[in-house]
Amino acid sequence: MCGEYGPGRIFKSSDYGNNWIDSSSPFLNWLDITTTSSGQRVYAAPYDDTIYTSNDFGSTWTPLAFNYRGLNGIFTNPSTGQYVYAYNEDAGAYRSADFGTTWTTVLNEGLNSVTTSDSGQYVYALTYYYYARIFKSSDYGLTFTLYSGIEAIWFDITTSSSGQVVYVTSIDNGIYKSSDYGETFSSVFPYFIQGIKSSSSGQYIYASQRNFKVFFSSDYGITWTISNNNQGRGWESITVSG
């Protein structure tokens, strides 16, 4: 699924992206969208309205009782969609543990990226500011601890389905990897990277740059190749199937 900003609607594809149809969503400025691994449950965040959800693969949409505006991101745990995180650059993260019915504030930090394990037990969040920080939760987002290791301008974060393998990108120091649930990180790629996404196992990783390159690793970040032959486009973000 993808959402228009302009304003516009949310479009969906059920044939691996070959064809797209209007999902008859509200006509809003859509900023981010997240879905479960099956694609059945979807959450969509507009800039100037409440969050909308669909539980029928985007066929119908329902507004949630969410009172905060100006979001720049939303993420749900892939297996069930029970845990939802909505966040922005100023006020921090709002958490729902009941499919978006009720919400609480869990981090008073401006956030740039959030990811979770499949179950939602492990949550990783990046703050927005210049020397960004990494926060981790191992109790379904109830409490968070700060990773106090490497300082960098962190940009994006992704994790394996278990939450054990974590990759985080930095626009000044490349890609760092953790194999111990975010306890320690080490460099696996030295160059400027923005978007990143790993497979469910953490073995396969795609990383995108604004200066026209997409890099690929099939060995947990040990070696990297250019995967898109420099097609002359600036790549902001990236995702991959399981």
Side-chain angles (χ1 to χ4, degrees), residues 165 167 177 179 188 199 201-205 216-225:
V165 183
Y167 299 93
K177 172 189 174 183
S179 298
V188 294
S199 62
S201 66
Q203 178 179 351
Y204 302 96
I205 316 107
F216 170 68
S217 175
S218 60
D219 54 10
Y220 296 91
I222 297 172
T223 60
W224 296 84
T225 58

mmCIF file with all atom_site columns, all heavy atoms in Angstrom, residues 165 167 177 179 188 199 201-205 216-225:
data_model
loop_
_atom_site.group_PDB
_atom_site.id
_atom_site.type_symbol
_atom_site.label_atom_id
_atom_site.label_alt_id
_atom_site.label_comp_id
_atom_site.label_asym_id
_atom_site.label_entity_id
_atom_site.label_seq_id
_atom_site.pdbx_PDB_ins_code
_atom_site.Cartn_x
_atom_site.Cartn_y
_atom_site.Cartn_z
_atom_site.occupancy
_atom_site.B_iso_or_equiv
_atom_site.pdbx_formal_charge
_atom_site.auth_seq_id
_atom_site.auth_comp_id
_atom_site.auth_asym_id
_atom_site.auth_atom_id
_atom_site.pdbx_PDB_model_num
ATOM 1   N N   . VAL A 1 165 ? 18.705 -9.488  15.829 1.00 0.00 ? 165 VAL A N   1
ATOM 2   C CA  . VAL A 1 165 ? 19.627 -8.839  14.891 1.00 0.00 ? 165 VAL A CA  1
ATOM 3   C C   . VAL A 1 165 ? 19.059 -7.473  14.517 1.00 0.00 ? 165 VAL A C   1
ATOM 4   O O   . VAL A 1 165 ? 17.930 -7.368  14.045 1.00 0.00 ? 165 VAL A O   1
ATOM 5   C CB  . VAL A 1 165 ? 19.827 -9.689  13.624 1.00 0.00 ? 165 VAL A CB  1
ATOM 6   C CG1 . VAL A 1 165 ? 20.847 -9.031  12.697 1.00 0.00 ? 165 VAL A CG1 1
ATOM 7   C CG2 . VAL A 1 165 ? 20.278 -11.103 13.993 1.00 0.00 ? 165 VAL A CG2 1
ATOM 8   N N   . TYR A 1 167 ? 19.923 -3.609  12.626 1.00 0.00 ? 167 TYR A N   1
ATOM 9   C CA  . TYR A 1 167 ? 20.780 -2.771  11.778 1.00 0.00 ? 167 TYR A CA  1
ATOM 10  C C   . TYR A 1 167 ? 20.304 -1.336  11.904 1.00 0.00 ? 167 TYR A C   1
ATOM 11  O O   . TYR A 1 167 ? 19.102 -1.061  11.868 1.00 0.00 ? 167 TYR A O   1
ATOM 12  C CB  . TYR A 1 167 ? 20.703 -3.202  10.310 1.00 0.00 ? 167 TYR A CB  1
ATOM 13  C CG  . TYR A 1 167 ? 21.157 -4.615  10.059 1.00 0.00 ? 167 TYR A CG  1
ATOM 14  C CD1 . TYR A 1 167 ? 20.239 -5.668  10.056 1.00 0.00 ? 167 TYR A CD1 1
ATOM 15  C CD2 . TYR A 1 167 ? 22.499 -4.906  9.816  1.00 0.00 ? 167 TYR A CD2 1
ATOM 16  C CE1 . TYR A 1 167 ? 20.651 -6.970  9.822  1.00 0.00 ? 167 TYR A CE1 1
ATOM 17  C CE2 . TYR A 1 167 ? 22.919 -6.205  9.580  1.00 0.00 ? 167 TYR A CE2 1
ATOM 18  C CZ  . TYR A 1 167 ? 21.989 -7.236  9.577  1.00 0.00 ? 167 TYR A CZ  1
ATOM 19  O OH  . TYR A 1 167 ? 22.398 -8.524  9.351  1.00 0.00 ? 167 TYR A OH  1
ATOM 20  N N   . LYS A 1 177 ? 25.628 -2.850  13.165 1.00 0.00 ? 177 LYS A N   1
ATOM 21  C CA  . LYS A 1 177 ? 24.849 -4.065  13.391 1.00 0.00 ? 177 LYS A CA  1
ATOM 22  C C   . LYS A 1 177 ? 24.975 -4.525  14.838 1.00 0.00 ? 177 LYS A C   1
ATOM 23  O O   . LYS A 1 177 ? 26.048 -4.442  15.443 1.00 0.00 ? 177 LYS A O   1
ATOM 24  C CB  . LYS A 1 177 ? 25.343 -5.178  12.458 1.00 0.00 ? 177 LYS A CB  1
ATOM 25  C CG  . LYS A 1 177 ? 24.747 -6.557  12.726 1.00 0.00 ? 177 LYS A CG  1
ATOM 26  C CD  . LYS A 1 177 ? 25.453 -7.629  11.900 1.00 0.00 ? 177 LYS A CD  1
ATOM 27  C CE  . LYS A 1 177 ? 24.980 -9.013  12.261 1.00 0.00 ? 177 LYS A CE  1
ATOM 28  N NZ  . LYS A 1 177 ? 25.725 -10.063 11.517 1.00 0.00 ? 177 LYS A NZ  1
ATOM 29  N N   . SER A 1 179 ? 23.999 -8.052  17.117 1.00 0.00 ? 179 SER A N   1
ATOM 30  C CA  . SER A 1 179 ? 23.529 -9.445  17.107 1.00 0.00 ? 179 SER A CA  1
ATOM 31  C C   . SER A 1 179 ? 23.073 -9.897  18.484 1.00 0.00 ? 179 SER A C   1
ATOM 32  O O   . SER A 1 179 ? 22.830 -11.088 18.704 1.00 0.00 ? 179 SER A O   1
ATOM 33  C CB  . SER A 1 179 ? 24.650 -10.375 16.610 1.00 0.00 ? 179 SER A CB  1
ATOM 34  O OG  . SER A 1 179 ? 25.013 -10.066 15.292 1.00 0.00 ? 179 SER A OG  1
ATOM 35  N N   . VAL A 1 188 ? 29.468 -2.312  10.003 1.00 0.00 ? 188 VAL A N   1
ATOM 36  C CA  . VAL A 1 188 ? 29.512 -3.327  8.950  1.00 0.00 ? 188 VAL A CA  1
ATOM 37  C C   . VAL A 1 188 ? 29.555 -2.699  7.557  1.00 0.00 ? 188 VAL A C   1
ATOM 38  O O   . VAL A 1 188 ? 29.706 -3.405  6.562  1.00 0.00 ? 188 VAL A O   1
ATOM 39  C CB  . VAL A 1 188 ? 28.304 -4.289  9.028  1.00 0.00 ? 188 VAL A CB  1
ATOM 40  C CG1 . VAL A 1 188 ? 28.373 -5.125  10.299 1.00 0.00 ? 188 VAL A CG1 1
ATOM 41  C CG2 . VAL A 1 188 ? 26.980 -3.546  8.928  1.00 0.00 ? 188 VAL A CG2 1
ATOM 42  N N   . SER A 1 199 ? 15.581 -8.815  6.022  1.00 0.00 ? 199 SER A N   1
ATOM 43  C CA  . SER A 1 199 ? 14.620 -9.911  5.969  1.00 0.00 ? 199 SER A CA  1
ATOM 44  C C   . SER A 1 199 ? 14.292 -10.357 7.385  1.00 0.00 ? 199 SER A C   1
ATOM 45  O O   . SER A 1 199 ? 14.918 -9.928  8.361  1.00 0.00 ? 199 SER A O   1
ATOM 46  C CB  . SER A 1 199 ? 15.204 -11.073 5.174  1.00 0.00 ? 199 SER A CB  1
ATOM 47  O OG  . SER A 1 199 ? 16.368 -11.575 5.815  1.00 0.00 ? 199 SER A OG  1
ATOM 48  N N   . SER A 1 201 ? 14.915 -13.031 8.927  1.00 0.00 ? 201 SER A N   1
ATOM 49  C CA  . SER A 1 201 ? 16.032 -13.702 9.588  1.00 0.00 ? 201 SER A CA  1
ATOM 50  C C   . SER A 1 201 ? 17.167 -12.749 9.934  1.00 0.00 ? 201 SER A C   1
ATOM 51  O O   . SER A 1 201 ? 18.015 -13.065 10.771 1.00 0.00 ? 201 SER A O   1
ATOM 52  C CB  . SER A 1 201 ? 16.579 -14.811 8.689  1.00 0.00 ? 201 SER A CB  1
ATOM 53  O OG  . SER A 1 201 ? 17.154 -14.244 7.514  1.00 0.00 ? 201 SER A OG  1
ATOM 54  N N   . GLY A 1 202 ? 17.212 -11.593 9.253  1.00 0.00 ? 202 GLY A N   1
ATOM 55  C CA  . GLY A 1 202 ? 18.325 -10.668 9.407  1.00 0.00 ? 202 GLY A CA  1
ATOM 56  C C   . GLY A 1 202 ? 19.478 -10.958 8.469  1.00 0.00 ? 202 GLY A C   1
ATOM 57  O O   . GLY A 1 202 ? 20.470 -10.231 8.464  1.00 0.00 ? 202 GLY A O   1
ATOM 58  N N   . GLN A 1 203 ? 19.362 -12.026 7.664  1.00 0.00 ? 203 GLN A N   1
ATOM 59  C CA  . GLN A 1 203 ? 20.452 -12.404 6.758  1.00 0.00 ? 203 GLN A CA  1
ATOM 60  C C   . GLN A 1 203 ? 20.553 -11.488 5.549  1.00 0.00 ? 203 GLN A C   1
ATOM 61  O O   . GLN A 1 203 ? 21.648 -11.128 5.121  1.00 0.00 ? 203 GLN A O   1
ATOM 62  C CB  . GLN A 1 203 ? 20.260 -13.843 6.280  1.00 0.00 ? 203 GLN A CB  1
ATOM 63  C CG  . GLN A 1 203 ? 21.333 -14.311 5.297  1.00 0.00 ? 203 GLN A CG  1
ATOM 64  C CD  . GLN A 1 203 ? 21.145 -15.748 4.858  1.00 0.00 ? 203 GLN A CD  1
ATOM 65  O OE1 . GLN A 1 203 ? 20.306 -16.465 5.408  1.00 0.00 ? 203 GLN A OE1 1
ATOM 66  N NE2 . GLN A 1 203 ? 21.912 -16.181 3.882  1.00 0.00 ? 203 GLN A NE2 1
ATOM 67  N N   . TYR A 1 204 ? 19.408 -11.103 4.997  1.00 0.00 ? 204 TYR A N   1
ATOM 68  C CA  . TYR A 1 204 ? 19.389 -10.294 3.775  1.00 0.00 ? 204 TYR A CA  1
ATOM 69  C C   . TYR A 1 204 ? 19.049 -8.849  4.131  1.00 0.00 ? 204 TYR A C   1
ATOM 70  O O   . TYR A 1 204 ? 18.063 -8.585  4.822  1.00 0.00 ? 204 TYR A O   1
ATOM 71  C CB  . TYR A 1 204 ? 18.367 -10.845 2.792  1.00 0.00 ? 204 TYR A CB  1
ATOM 72  C CG  . TYR A 1 204 ? 18.624 -12.284 2.409  1.00 0.00 ? 204 TYR A CG  1
ATOM 73  C CD1 . TYR A 1 204 ? 17.962 -13.333 3.068  1.00 0.00 ? 204 TYR A CD1 1
ATOM 74  C CD2 . TYR A 1 204 ? 19.543 -12.607 1.418  1.00 0.00 ? 204 TYR A CD2 1
ATOM 75  C CE1 . TYR A 1 204 ? 18.213 -14.644 2.741  1.00 0.00 ? 204 TYR A CE1 1
ATOM 76  C CE2 . TYR A 1 204 ? 19.797 -13.928 1.087  1.00 0.00 ? 204 TYR A CE2 1
ATOM 77  C CZ  . TYR A 1 204 ? 19.136 -14.941 1.745  1.00 0.00 ? 204 TYR A CZ  1
ATOM 78  O OH  . TYR A 1 204 ? 19.388 -16.253 1.418  1.00 0.00 ? 204 TYR A OH  1
ATOM 79  N N   . ILE A 1 205 ? 19.870 -7.926  3.634  1.00 0.00 ? 205 ILE A N   1
ATOM 80  C CA  . ILE A 1 205 ? 19.689 -6.512  3.959  1.00 0.00 ? 205 ILE A CA  1
ATOM 81  C C   . ILE A 1 205 ? 19.790 -5.682  2.692  1.00 0.00 ? 205 ILE A C   1
ATOM 82  O O   . ILE A 1 205 ? 20.673 -5.904  1.858  1.00 0.00 ? 205 ILE A O   1
ATOM 83  C CB  . ILE A 1 205 ? 20.752 -6.003  4.954  1.00 0.00 ? 205 ILE A CB  1
ATOM 84  C CG1 . ILE A 1 205 ? 20.970 -6.996  6.103  1.00 0.00 ? 205 ILE A CG1 1
ATOM 85  C CG2 . ILE A 1 205 ? 20.369 -4.636  5.514  1.00 0.00 ? 205 ILE A CG2 1
ATOM 86  C CD1 . ILE A 1 205 ? 22.262 -7.736  6.031  1.00 0.00 ? 205 ILE A CD1 1
ATOM 87  N N   . PHE A 1 216 ? 23.216 -4.268  -1.234 1.00 0.00 ? 216 PHE A N   1
ATOM 88  C CA  . PHE A 1 216 ? 22.598 -5.522  -0.821 1.00 0.00 ? 216 PHE A CA  1
ATOM 89  C C   . PHE A 1 216 ? 23.631 -6.413  -0.152 1.00 0.00 ? 216 PHE A C   1
ATOM 90  O O   . PHE A 1 216 ? 24.778 -6.521  -0.612 1.00 0.00 ? 216 PHE A O   1
ATOM 91  C CB  . PHE A 1 216 ? 22.012 -6.232  -2.038 1.00 0.00 ? 216 PHE A CB  1
ATOM 92  C CG  . PHE A 1 216 ? 21.563 -7.644  -1.773 1.00 0.00 ? 216 PHE A CG  1
ATOM 93  C CD1 . PHE A 1 216 ? 20.470 -7.904  -0.962 1.00 0.00 ? 216 PHE A CD1 1
ATOM 94  C CD2 . PHE A 1 216 ? 22.236 -8.714  -2.342 1.00 0.00 ? 216 PHE A CD2 1
ATOM 95  C CE1 . PHE A 1 216 ? 20.057 -9.209  -0.712 1.00 0.00 ? 216 PHE A CE1 1
ATOM 96  C CE2 . PHE A 1 216 ? 21.840 -10.021 -2.107 1.00 0.00 ? 216 PHE A CE2 1
ATOM 97  C CZ  . PHE A 1 216 ? 20.744 -10.264 -1.288 1.00 0.00 ? 216 PHE A CZ  1
ATOM 98  N N   . SER A 1 217 ? 23.230 -7.052  0.931  1.00 0.00 ? 217 SER A N   1
ATOM 99  C CA  . SER A 1 217 ? 24.059 -8.061  1.591  1.00 0.00 ? 217 SER A CA  1
ATOM 100 C C   . SER A 1 217 ? 23.229 -9.311  1.822  1.00 0.00 ? 217 SER A C   1
ATOM 101 O O   . SER A 1 217 ? 22.071 -9.224  2.244  1.00 0.00 ? 217 SER A O   1
ATOM 102 C CB  . SER A 1 217 ? 24.583 -7.540  2.932  1.00 0.00 ? 217 SER A CB  1
ATOM 103 O OG  . SER A 1 217 ? 25.281 -8.574  3.618  1.00 0.00 ? 217 SER A OG  1
ATOM 104 N N   . SER A 1 218 ? 23.809 -10.474 1.551  1.00 0.00 ? 218 SER A N   1
ATOM 105 C CA  . SER A 1 218 ? 23.128 -11.747 1.780  1.00 0.00 ? 218 SER A CA  1
ATOM 106 C C   . SER A 1 218 ? 23.806 -12.564 2.870  1.00 0.00 ? 218 SER A C   1
ATOM 107 O O   . SER A 1 218 ? 23.494 -13.742 3.049  1.00 0.00 ? 218 SER A O   1
ATOM 108 C CB  . SER A 1 218 ? 23.092 -12.565 0.479  1.00 0.00 ? 218 SER A CB  1
ATOM 109 O OG  . SER A 1 218 ? 24.410 -12.831 0.015  1.00 0.00 ? 218 SER A OG  1
ATOM 110 N N   . ASP A 1 219 ? 24.718 -11.948 3.609  1.00 0.00 ? 219 ASP A N   1
ATOM 111 C CA  . ASP A 1 219 ? 25.468 -12.684 4.641  1.00 0.00 ? 219 ASP A CA  1
ATOM 112 C C   . ASP A 1 219 ? 25.546 -11.890 5.946  1.00 0.00 ? 219 ASP A C   1
ATOM 113 O O   . ASP A 1 219 ? 26.600 -11.764 6.547  1.00 0.00 ? 219 ASP A O   1
ATOM 114 C CB  . ASP A 1 219 ? 26.864 -13.045 4.133  1.00 0.00 ? 219 ASP A CB  1
ATOM 115 C CG  . ASP A 1 219 ? 27.652 -11.840 3.622  1.00 0.00 ? 219 ASP A CG  1
ATOM 116 O OD1 . ASP A 1 219 ? 27.205 -10.690 3.829  1.00 0.00 ? 219 ASP A OD1 1
ATOM 117 O OD2 . ASP A 1 219 ? 28.706 -12.050 2.998  1.00 0.00 ? 219 ASP A OD2 1
ATOM 118 N N   . TYR A 1 220 ? 24.406 -11.335 6.340  1.00 0.00 ? 220 TYR A N   1
ATOM 119 C CA  . TYR A 1 220 ? 24.306 -10.614 7.605  1.00 0.00 ? 220 TYR A CA  1
ATOM 120 C C   . TYR A 1 220 ? 25.204 -9.380  7.660  1.00 0.00 ? 220 TYR A C   1
ATOM 121 O O   . TYR A 1 220 ? 25.704 -9.006  8.721  1.00 0.00 ? 220 TYR A O   1
ATOM 122 C CB  . TYR A 1 220 ? 24.617 -11.536 8.789  1.00 0.00 ? 220 TYR A CB  1
ATOM 123 C CG  . TYR A 1 220 ? 23.630 -12.668 8.962  1.00 0.00 ? 220 TYR A CG  1
ATOM 124 C CD1 . TYR A 1 220 ? 23.852 -13.904 8.350  1.00 0.00 ? 220 TYR A CD1 1
ATOM 125 C CD2 . TYR A 1 220 ? 22.481 -12.508 9.730  1.00 0.00 ? 220 TYR A CD2 1
ATOM 126 C CE1 . TYR A 1 220 ? 22.942 -14.948 8.500  1.00 0.00 ? 220 TYR A CE1 1
ATOM 127 C CE2 . TYR A 1 220 ? 21.573 -13.547 9.891  1.00 0.00 ? 220 TYR A CE2 1
ATOM 128 C CZ  . TYR A 1 220 ? 21.807 -14.760 9.268  1.00 0.00 ? 220 TYR A CZ  1
ATOM 129 O OH  . TYR A 1 220 ? 20.905 -15.789 9.424  1.00 0.00 ? 220 TYR A OH  1
ATOM 130 N N   . GLY A 1 221 ? 25.441 -8.745  6.518  1.00 0.00 ? 221 GLY A N   1
ATOM 131 C CA  . GLY A 1 221 ? 26.203 -7.507  6.499  1.00 0.00 ? 221 GLY A CA  1
ATOM 132 C C   . GLY A 1 221 ? 27.701 -7.670  6.412  1.00 0.00 ? 221 GLY A C   1
ATOM 133 O O   . GLY A 1 221 ? 28.443 -6.688  6.549  1.00 0.00 ? 221 GLY A O   1
ATOM 134 N N   . ILE A 1 222 ? 28.178 -8.894  6.150  1.00 0.00 ? 222 ILE A N   1
ATOM 135 C CA  . ILE A 1 222 ? 29.629 -9.100  6.048  1.00 0.00 ? 222 ILE A CA  1
ATOM 136 C C   . ILE A 1 222 ? 30.166 -8.528  4.738  1.00 0.00 ? 222 ILE A C   1
ATOM 137 O O   . ILE A 1 222 ? 31.179 -7.821  4.717  1.00 0.00 ? 222 ILE A O   1
ATOM 138 C CB  . ILE A 1 222 ? 29.970 -10.601 6.174  1.00 0.00 ? 222 ILE A CB  1
ATOM 139 C CG1 . ILE A 1 222 ? 29.567 -11.112 7.559  1.00 0.00 ? 222 ILE A CG1 1
ATOM 140 C CG2 . ILE A 1 222 ? 31.463 -10.838 5.936  1.00 0.00 ? 222 ILE A CG2 1
ATOM 141 C CD1 . ILE A 1 222 ? 29.687 -12.612 7.717  1.00 0.00 ? 222 ILE A CD1 1
ATOM 142 N N   . THR A 1 223 ? 29.481 -8.820  3.627  1.00 0.00 ? 223 THR A N   1
ATOM 143 C CA  . THR A 1 223 ? 29.884 -8.271  2.332  1.00 0.00 ? 223 THR A CA  1
ATOM 144 C C   . THR A 1 223 ? 28.688 -7.583  1.679  1.00 0.00 ? 223 THR A C   1
ATOM 145 O O   . THR A 1 223 ? 27.532 -7.922  1.948  1.00 0.00 ? 223 THR A O   1
ATOM 146 C CB  . THR A 1 223 ? 30.417 -9.366  1.393  1.00 0.00 ? 223 THR A CB  1
ATOM 147 O OG1 . THR A 1 223 ? 29.377 -10.341 1.165  1.00 0.00 ? 223 THR A OG1 1
ATOM 148 C CG2 . THR A 1 223 ? 31.632 -10.051 1.999  1.00 0.00 ? 223 THR A CG2 1
ATOM 149 N N   . TRP A 1 224 ? 28.977 -6.609  0.788  1.00 0.00 ? 224 TRP A N   1
ATOM 150 C CA  . TRP A 1 224 ? 27.931 -5.799  0.161  1.00 0.00 ? 224 TRP A CA  1
ATOM 151 C C   . TRP A 1 224 ? 28.189 -5.662  -1.332 1.00 0.00 ? 224 TRP A C   1
ATOM 152 O O   . TRP A 1 224 ? 29.338 -5.580  -1.765 1.00 0.00 ? 224 TRP A O   1
ATOM 153 C CB  . TRP A 1 224 ? 27.890 -4.404  0.794  1.00 0.00 ? 224 TRP A CB  1
ATOM 154 C CG  . TRP A 1 224 ? 27.515 -4.416  2.235  1.00 0.00 ? 224 TRP A CG  1
ATOM 155 C CD1 . TRP A 1 224 ? 28.339 -4.634  3.302  1.00 0.00 ? 224 TRP A CD1 1
ATOM 156 C CD2 . TRP A 1 224 ? 26.204 -4.217  2.781  1.00 0.00 ? 224 TRP A CD2 1
ATOM 157 N NE1 . TRP A 1 224 ? 27.625 -4.583  4.478  1.00 0.00 ? 224 TRP A NE1 1
ATOM 158 C CE2 . TRP A 1 224 ? 26.326 -4.327  4.187  1.00 0.00 ? 224 TRP A CE2 1
ATOM 159 C CE3 . TRP A 1 224 ? 24.953 -3.949  2.215  1.00 0.00 ? 224 TRP A CE3 1
ATOM 160 C CZ2 . TRP A 1 224 ? 25.222 -4.176  5.031  1.00 0.00 ? 224 TRP A CZ2 1
ATOM 161 C CZ3 . TRP A 1 224 ? 23.866 -3.793  3.051  1.00 0.00 ? 224 TRP A CZ3 1
ATOM 162 C CH2 . TRP A 1 224 ? 24.002 -3.914  4.449  1.00 0.00 ? 224 TRP A CH2 1
ATOM 163 N N   . THR A 1 225 ? 27.103 -5.619  -2.103 1.00 0.00 ? 225 THR A N   1
ATOM 164 C CA  . THR A 1 225 ? 27.192 -5.342  -3.534 1.00 0.00 ? 225 THR A CA  1
ATOM 165 C C   . THR A 1 225 ? 26.172 -4.263  -3.881 1.00 0.00 ? 225 THR A C   1
ATOM 166 O O   . THR A 1 225 ? 25.188 -4.069  -3.176 1.00 0.00 ? 225 THR A O   1
ATOM 167 C CB  . THR A 1 225 ? 26.897 -6.597  -4.375 1.00 0.00 ? 225 THR A CB  1
ATOM 168 O OG1 . THR A 1 225 ? 25.585 -7.093  -4.037 1.00 0.00 ? 225 THR A OG1 1
ATOM 169 C CG2 . THR A 1 225 ? 27.938 -7.680  -4.119 1.00 0.00 ? 225 THR A CG2 1
#
